[in-house]
Amino acid sequence: MPAVTPSPSSSNDAGTPSARRTSWAAAAAAADATKPSRAPSPAPVPPAPPARQPAADPIASVPSAPPVNESGDAAREGAAPPSDAPAFRRSRPTVADAIAENAMPDFISSPGLFVKEQKPRPKGGIRGALYNLTGGAWNLGPGPKQRQEDELGRRISRQLQGSYNTAILSLKGGIGKTSTTVGVGLTLAEYRGDAPCAIDANPDSGDLVERALGEGIYQQASPRTITDLLENIESIDSLTALARYMHHAGRLHLIAGEQDPEVSDSLTAEEYLRIRKLISGYYSVALTDCGTGVTHNAMSGILQSADNLVIAAGYAVSGAKRARSTLHWLASHGYEDLARNAIVVITDKDEVSSRVDKDAIEEHLAGICRELIAVPHDRGVADGDLVTLDVLKPETRRAYKEIAAAIVDGYR
């Protein structure tokens, strides 16, 4: 068998494989892969010229880097590299080093860096007219009034973790308690992603559902009341089953009060708490129309489960005094936090004469509650019939939005 002579291109004179590099990427990878060493090593032997050297490769002739110590400097001990084999040094960091040291923002975490922010579309007024005339080319953004309205909407629609309950009560009837419950409930339903629930716990044949649906529609509906719900509460295990005992005014879901005078005052605190526990599994916001007074049977259960209160009042002197008396009663009977964080709503239902000093009444009540909101006189509220947002004055709708925002702000 003939002897095979090793090719000079496969090994060098010392028997070490040739450090052949065929591209700039290979040369850069070899330089990046250089590891620091504690012990000095002999100077590398220049590799034999490759058999086929690409003429267009500008980095193929770069020699191997000299050994380095822990500090990254060339080893000073041992033999020095030949003068004709200059050490390989990187004049600038690699792309990988630059990305690692200066992380660039990406589209997912910082989309605003890649897309210009678009102004909200103005609605109404000169800004809205200019926007419509120019087809959106001139967008001055919303005005101060619209920005305030948008902020109220954001407060009302805030996402909640858990279920919350607001009790609406008063010591005097006919001053806007039920109309406030309906108006605020419809406003919550308009702005929130989850439907709110309103419970009629008025012991005196409350008319919450009639004010939300209208007398005619309510009479044609299934006569389900809070009493029917209590009788079958153990069998209700889903929202579908619960819906059989509820009425719907759009996205506002309602539980009707008992209309029979013989049993309307029979709702106890324990029974109300059972209903509240059931509702909390399906609704994040509940409103409870408590009726007149704070001492009827169910009131202790209502106050025990309430997260905040709305105290209804009127501009008449007697209405203002009763509202203040309600807050004092709450504070002295273990509900000081509820009284301190209460929202007093003054409804100008009867359009009192000019002899009444409205500012003095508001000042009289403002210092003993978290917030005081006035609802202007509106025939859509004052006539005691159906309450719908479409027929209310803009000022009345704005007041209901402020009440709804204040209620949600109190859910902490």
Side-chain angles (χ1 to χ4, degrees), residues 156 166 168 176-192 196 198 252 285-287 310 343 345 373 375 387 389 392 396-408 411:
I156 297 172
T166 296
I168 296 100
K177 173 181 55 60
T178 300
S179 61
T180 298
T181 305
V182 176
V184 172
L186 292 173
T187 303
L188 289 167
E190 180 181 3
Y191 285 92
R192 291 196 59 78
L252 175 61
V285 176
L287 305 177
V310 171
I343 304 162
V345 175
I373 301 171
V375 179
V387 176
L389 299 180
L392 299 179
T396 306
R397 295 195 61 177
R398 170 64 182 263
Y400 286 150
K401 289 177 66 175
E402 291 177 352
I403 298 168
I407 287 174
V408 178
Y411 296 154

Side-chain angles (χ1 to χ4, degrees), residues 267-297:
L267 181 67
T268 65
E270 292 75 13
E271 289 172 334
Y272 174 82
L273 289 174
R274 292 179 66 192
I275 294 175
R276 174 70 190 112
K277 181 178 180 181
L278 175 65
I279 294 300
S280 66
Y282 303 102
Y283 296 92
S284 61
V285 176
L287 305 177
T288 301
D289 186 356
C290 301
T292 304
V294 290
T295 58
H296 59 79
N297 294 339

Side-chain angles (χ1 to χ4, degrees), residues 218 221-226 228-229 232 244-247 255-257:
Y218 176 67
S222 175
R224 300 282 187 175
T225 66
I226 196 170
D228 300 314
L229 176 61
N232 301 276
R244 296 177 55 196
Y245 302 91
M246 306 191 76
H247 304 268
I255 299 177

Side-chain angles (χ1 to χ4, degrees), residues 121-133 141:
R121 178 179 177 177
K123 301 175 184 177
I126 298 178
R127 294 169 182 257
L130 185 62
Y131 181 91
N132 294 330
L133 287 174

Side-chain angles (χ1 to χ4, degrees), residues 200-206 225-227 230 256-272 289-300 302:
D200 190 346
N202 191 335
D204 300 318
S205 301
T225 66
I226 196 170
T227 303
L230 280 169
E258 182 55 60
Q259 301 300 303
D260 187 348
E262 295 184 0
V263 297
S264 62
D265 196 25
S266 63
L267 181 67
T268 65
E270 292 75 13
E271 289 172 334
Y272 174 82
D289 186 356
C290 301
T292 304
V294 290
T295 58
H296 59 79
N297 294 339
M299 202 63 209
S300 62
I302 294 173

Side-chain angles (χ1 to χ4, degrees), residues 313-328 344 346 356-369 371-372:
Y315 276 115
V317 176
S318 59
K321 288 183 177 180
R322 286 187 175 94
R324 190 177 184 91
S325 299
T326 302
L327 293 171
H328 281 305
V344 173
I346 303 181
V356 176
D357 190 345
K358 296 181 180 181
D359 293 336
I361 291 177
E362 292 179 5
E363 185 179 354
H364 179 72
L365 295 173
I368 58 175
C369 61
E371 194 163 350
L372 186 143

